[in-house]
Amino acid sequence: MARWSYPRLSSGEITPREVWLSRRRLLAGATLGMAVGAAPRALAEPLHTRPGPFQAAEKPTPLQDVTHYNNFYEFGLDKTDPSTRSGRFHARPWTVSVEGLVAHPRVWDIDALIAAMPIEERLYRMRCVEAWSMVIPWDGFPLASLLALAEPLGSARYVAFESVVRPAEMPGQTGGLDSLAWPYVEGLRLDEAMHPLTLLAVGLYGETLPNQNGAPVRLVVPWKYGFKGIKSITRIRLVERMPPTTWNQMNPAEYGFFANVNPDVDHPRWSQASERVIGAGGFFGGGRKKTLMFNGYGEQVAGLYGTMNLRSFY
């Protein structure tokens, strides 16, 4: 059985939970209503959570930035489009199907799924392929817990994900980025999907996900570039062959299937050696820092890739 070591940080490195919780309450009162005030549900709902095992050492990105600086092309191309154009999107009722090469396929109601899973607080680094980053306190459960209930068959090698298609509620699906085919699709190798870092997030900052952040459930794989984090998931399939993924289909020379954060492999149009830290001040609202291999999670995930050439398998 594979083993993964958990990050071992000194107590002084970790932001105390009560500090970021108090910050969340302050920011939530000031900004969350503005962030999702146009949504069908006026405010996000609190989640019953417990501290999770993975906690980044950095301070969380302010809620205002997490909810107002987003890539969610179903709502538009600009970073502010998800927060300003997602008001008609309905995240309830919602179902997620788990199907394909599994012993127990099932369609889950999202609230029944949340009730069935212990929801953990995990503070993860998030690195965008565009060379900016955040540190986000996600609330969710390991994808492995859901897959274990489905019992993958021996022939399953990959996990394919599919997002919702609702052009009446998601204006970006009616035009704008015509090169993207809907639905948005993503995929992981089964061992990546079963890794304890891989999360299905149902909230952030202790409350259910705002529409602009992928409500009601999204994928979070912190050692990969952010576009792997498919949002508003409706379907999860276990398959034998590598599934298609949206950005790889759109431009395979620039966006690989694996999308592991690698500062030594530049995007064809920009360097990946450093990143702009959103919410940290400085030029264009973000200080810069050096990008870490696997986004700083190499101790936990490097063994997944063995002797793979990470320049070829990008």
Side-chain angles (χ1 to χ4, degrees), residues 122-145:
R122 295 190 178 188
L123 185 62
Y124 278 171
R125 304 177 196 93
M126 194 282 284
R127 172 61 154 80
C128 182
V129 73
E130 297 170 341
W132 54 266
S133 65
M134 294 184 179
V135 179
I136 301 176
W138 298 108
D139 302 294
F141 55 90
L143 173 59
S145 299

Side-chain angles (χ1 to χ4, degrees), residues 103-271:
H104 305 292
R106 178 170 176 177
V107 177
W108 288 88
D109 170 78
I110 187 61
D111 292 312
L113 182 58
I114 291 173
M117 296 292 180
I119 306 301
E120 297 180 349
E121 303 161 344
R122 295 190 178 188
L123 185 62
Y124 278 171
R125 304 177 196 93
M126 194 282 284
R127 172 61 154 80
C128 182
V129 73
E130 297 170 341
W132 54 266
S133 65
M134 294 184 179
V135 179
I136 301 176
W138 298 108
D139 302 294
F141 55 90
L143 173 59
S145 299
L146 180 60
L147 298 183
L149 293 177
E151 292 189 24
L153 302 180
S155 55
R157 296 289 183 270
Y158 294 88
V159 183
F161 304 86
E162 185 175 309
S163 188
V164 72
V165 178
R166 291 186 190 167
E169 299 177 21
M170 305 175 104
Q173 291 180 335
T174 62
L177 198 65
D178 295 326
S179 58
L180 282 189
W182 309 110
Y184 196 103
V185 291
E186 257 303 337
L188 297 172
R189 238 171 36 194
L190 182 58
D191 59 346
E192 296 175 320
M194 296 296 289
H195 193 282
L197 273 170
T198 304
L199 195 72
L200 283 180
V202 296
L204 57 82
Y205 269 104
E207 295 175 331
T208 52
L209 283 174
N211 286 349
Q212 62 263 42
N213 292 96
V217 58
R218 62 170 291 165
L219 180 68
V220 179
V221 192
W223 70 93
K224 295 179 179 289
Y225 291 119
F227 67 83
K228 295 293 286 186
I230 183 171
K231 305 173 182 73
S232 302
I233 298 169
T234 60
R235 189 181 185 202
I236 299 172
R237 291 182 299 118
L238 279 289
V239 297
E240 186 174 1
R241 299 181 183 276
M242 182 182 288
T245 61
T246 289
W247 284 98
N248 181 248
Q249 288 182 306
M250 192 273 288
N251 192 337
E254 295 189 358
Y255 305 101
F257 174 84
F258 288 96
N260 291 320
V261 175
N262 189 341
D264 300 322
V265 177
D266 289 338
H267 187 280
R269 289 177 282 131
W270 56 80
S271 170

